Amino acid sequence: MATDHVDVLIVGAGLSGVGAACHLRRHCPDKTYAVLEARGAIGGTWDLFRYPGIRSDSDMFTLGYSFKPWTNPKAIADGPAIREYVRETAREYGVTEHIRFHHRVLRADWDSRAARWTVHAHRADTGEDVTLTCSFLHTCAGYYRYDEGHTPDFPGIERFAGQVVHPQHWPEDLDHTGKRIVVIGSGATAVTLVPALAERAGHVTMLQRSPTYVMAMPSRDAVADALRRVLPQRAVYPAVRWKNVLLTTANFQLSRRAPTIVKRLLRRAARGRLPAGYDVDRHFSPRYDPWDQRLCVVPDGDLFAAITRGRASIVTDTVETFTGTGLRLGSGEDLPADVVVTATGLNLLALGGATLTVDGEPVDLAGAVAYKGMMLSGVPNFAMTIGYTNASWTLKADLVATYVCRLLNHLDRTGAHVVTPVPPPDDERLPLIDLSAGYVLRSIDTLPRQGARAPWRLYQNYPRDVLLMRYGRLTDEGVRFSRAGTPERSTVRA
């Protein structure tokens, strides 16, 4: 196994990696491949996160694969259902037997003379180091650290007599029944945790430094339910998928072009679900415009319902210090707690922490420019999957996977061996992830950049990307094709 060679090596057996392998089976059936997974299970994010209420904040008609209809009645699905969907897909397409678990990729080295990658991995189960080679490397490891989440350095945290938990590593034996719980944070994880914990806790308080836009969405799709009564599933799934894509795209575009209108609509919707006199402006009206940070979705308005029933509350304030019995806030108020949950975000980590070299020269990720949001300037036969920030992750993952298959088939047809993106001719660079969320801003300088125009610009627009990546030309000004033995002149030297 230490000397194996495959045509395509996929890193990560989560939603993206399993999807990439399935697309290979469908569009490049003659290609050999393997999937390296650092952990011991399929599912990625949906296997790692086990906190109460874990669910998607995107509908499953768009978070699901394009080739594998989602048949569960719930459009907003819980984590276990999504995990089983990914595992079922892997079994159905014969991917499971190609996955090598406990393989953490440490380094990948490109050799232009051989036109192949040498990939170095460490096996956590045996402690040995292994080496594989491949002609094309596709990383599907997401963009955050799996081994630790982000927790700020809270003053006095060592004095707290209760339990402090980060959602990324939820203890299986934590019994929160009847307890006073403070959830620090206001993002997707926090708004998921609060109503789920409130079902059994004594009381749950969501402590936020600043508000987030929160929108209620039905957990079931009424259009899908109606169509299922008259159409076969194979027709329902793509129809509802495109309906939801277009609605999400319209929401995003309206938010960008008329943020004041969207703010007013979101505020009115929140007010309609909360008790009379509730301070909506303080707790649900952010200072930023909609989609400057990802908008949080709550199925069937469960967060609003928990607040209305008195099972949960929101406090908008800062943490001055932990005390022995809870938290002292910036306002001077003491907030008692038995359990504090730090839903304070993720730590970004590109390529799962692996490093790259091209012909012996280290690749500086921060100096590279993304091509079509999926390849890197100066890095041959390489793709990475980073999903949308304004829509379902899998929409982009599907496009990247099918584009990789198009590239592989193009190389076979033309007799070329290598495809290498080149940087844009101008010097204008933009952040790769266009969000002002804290977890992005903390690490944005370590990630690749994007250019100011296509094909180096990611427009966060799925219909536009379908035309570009599924039907657009493979040969353009942003990429060059060559044969083995042609050294790469690196533009991303560290």
Side-chain angles (χ1 to χ4, degrees):
M1 186 162 60
T3 58
D4 282 354
H5 175 81
V6 292
D7 295 322
V8 181
L9 188 63
I10 298 167
V11 181
L15 192 63
S16 304
V18 168
C22 292
H23 280 290
L24 273 176
R25 292 294 299 270
R26 298 174 71 240
H27 302 297
C28 303
D30 295 331
K31 296 295 182 186
T32 59
Y33 74 95
V35 182
L36 301 187
E37 167 56 47
R39 301 174 68 249
I42 294 174
T45 294
W46 302 107
D47 181 73
L48 174 69
F49 285 95
R50 300 296 183 102
Y51 58 80
I54 173 68
R55 57 168 174 76
S56 166
D57 63 350
S58 300
D59 72 277
M60 288 304 300
F61 291 92
T62 56
L63 190 66
Y65 299 117
S66 58
F67 55 87
K68 170 74 172 172
W70 174 258
T71 58
N72 189 305
K74 279 201 169 185
I76 303 296
D78 59 46
I82 299 171
R83 182 169 65 248
E84 180 52 34
Y85 171 79
V86 177
R87 292 177 177 176
E88 179 184 288
T89 305
R91 291 192 299 267
E92 183 178 323
Y93 282 83
V95 172
T96 306
E97 53 263 36
H98 291 262
I99 301 173
R100 303 182 186 185
F101 295 105
H102 304 292
H103 281 61
R104 180 178 297 280
V105 175
L106 305 176
R107 190 177 85 248
D109 305 316
W110 172 260
D111 180 356
S112 292
R113 291 173 298 178
R116 66 173 49 181
W117 288 96
T118 299
V119 179
H120 306 270
H122 178 75
R123 289 193 60 170
D125 55 343
T126 65
E128 66 179 313
D129 293 328
V130 296
T131 302
L132 301 92
T133 60
C134 64
S135 301
F136 198 99
L137 180 61
H138 187 177
T139 64
C140 299
Y143 56 49
Y144 71 88
R145 289 189 61 166
Y146 271 47
D147 57 342
E148 66 175 28
H150 175 70
T151 301
D153 186 16
F154 289 115
I157 194 169
E158 71 282 353
R159 297 199 300 267
F160 181 54
Q163 190 169 3
V164 179
V165 178
H166 193 284
Q168 193 163 326
H169 301 285
W170 194 270
E172 291 183 13
D173 59 351
L174 177 59
D175 182 8
H176 62 275
T177 304
K179 294 186 176 179
R180 299 167 300 177
I181 302 175
V182 174
V183 178
I184 304 177
S186 60
T189 302
V191 301
T192 299
L193 272 166
V194 170
L197 292 171
E199 293 177 4
R200 287 167 42 199
H203 188 81
V204 183
T205 303
M206 189 169 89
L207 173 60
Q208 58 181 14
R209 183 174 53 189
S210 58
T212 298
Y213 290 109
V214 179
M215 179 177 70
M217 177 182 289
S219 60
R220 295 182 62 136
D221 191 302
V223 173
D225 288 345
L227 291 179
R228 283 191 180 110
R229 291 193 287 267
V230 296
L231 294 176
Q233 181 62 51
R234 65 179 182 274
V236 173
Y237 187 69
V240 179
R241 184 180 176 90
W242 269 107
K243 181 263 294 183
N244 291 353
V245 162
L246 295 176
L247 286 176
T248 301
T249 302
N251 177 290
F252 179 76
Q253 294 299 329
L254 181 61
S255 297
R256 285 293 189 238
R257 289 169 168 75
T260 302
I261 293 176
V262 177
K263 283 182 185 180
R264 190 181 304 125
L265 292 173
L266 290 170
R267 181 177 179 275
R268 183 183 301 166
R271 174 162 295 199
R273 288 180 172 268
L274 290 164
Y278 190 86
D279 195 345
V280 174
D281 289 335
R282 178 170 177 78
H283 301 307
F284 286 99
S285 297
R287 294 185 295 269
Y288 57 85
D289 288 337
W291 286 114
D292 283 353
Q293 297 184 27
R294 192 173 171 94
L295 191 148
C296 289
V297 170
V298 290
D300 300 322
D302 58 2
L303 175 66
F304 300 120
I307 294 171
T308 301
R309 292 196 304 266
R311 305 289 300 174
S313 57
I314 295 181
V315 173
T316 303
D317 208 327
T318 57
V319 177
E320 179 180 306
T321 184
F322 273 69
T323 66
T325 58
L327 299 155
R328 180 161 299 135
L329 307 181
S331 62
E333 177 187 352
D334 282 321
L335 193 59
D338 303 305
V339 178
V340 174
V341 181
T342 55
T344 45
L346 309 167
N347 288 319
L348 295 195
L349 184 67
L351 312 185
T355 58
L356 308 175
T357 69
V358 173
D359 293 329
E361 297 187 11
V363 173
D364 174 20
L365 289 180
V369 181
Y371 168 78
K372 295 182 178 177
M374 57 164 285
M375 303 178 78
L376 297 177
S377 59
V379 183
N381 288 22
F382 173 85
M384 61 182 183
T385 296
I386 296 180
Y388 291 118
T389 57
N390 68 338
S392 292
W393 178 276
T394 320
L395 290 173
K396 183 63 187 296
D398 266 340
L399 290 179
V400 171
T402 53
Y403 196 87
V404 167
C405 292
R406 292 184 67 202
L407 281 176
L408 294 172
N409 290 330
H410 179 79
L411 291 172
D412 288 345
R413 284 195 307 270
T414 61
H417 305 109
V418 182
V419 53
T420 310
V422 298
D426 59 74
D427 294 327
E428 187 173 357
R429 301 290 185 265
L430 302 170
L432 182 62
I433 301 177
D434 184 23
L435 285 178
S436 61
Y439 75 95
V440 174
L441 298 180
R442 283 193 299 271
S443 305
I444 195 67
D445 291 338
T446 67
L447 299 179
R449 312 288 281 180
Q450 63 176 332
R453 62 179 178 86
W456 298 277
R457 178 76 184 273
L458 177 65
Y459 287 95
Q460 299 288 341
N461 185 309
Y462 178 70
R464 178 174 183 162
D465 286 347
V466 166
L467 296 176
L468 175 70
M469 300 181 71
R470 192 173 292 170
Y471 304 108
R473 294 175 54 213
L474 293 171
T475 55
D476 59 35
E477 61 178 324
V479 71
R480 66 170 181 264
F481 294 87
S482 60
R483 297 181 66 84
T486 306
E488 294 299 334
R489 293 188 296 275
S490 176
T491 58
V492 288
R493 182 182 301 174

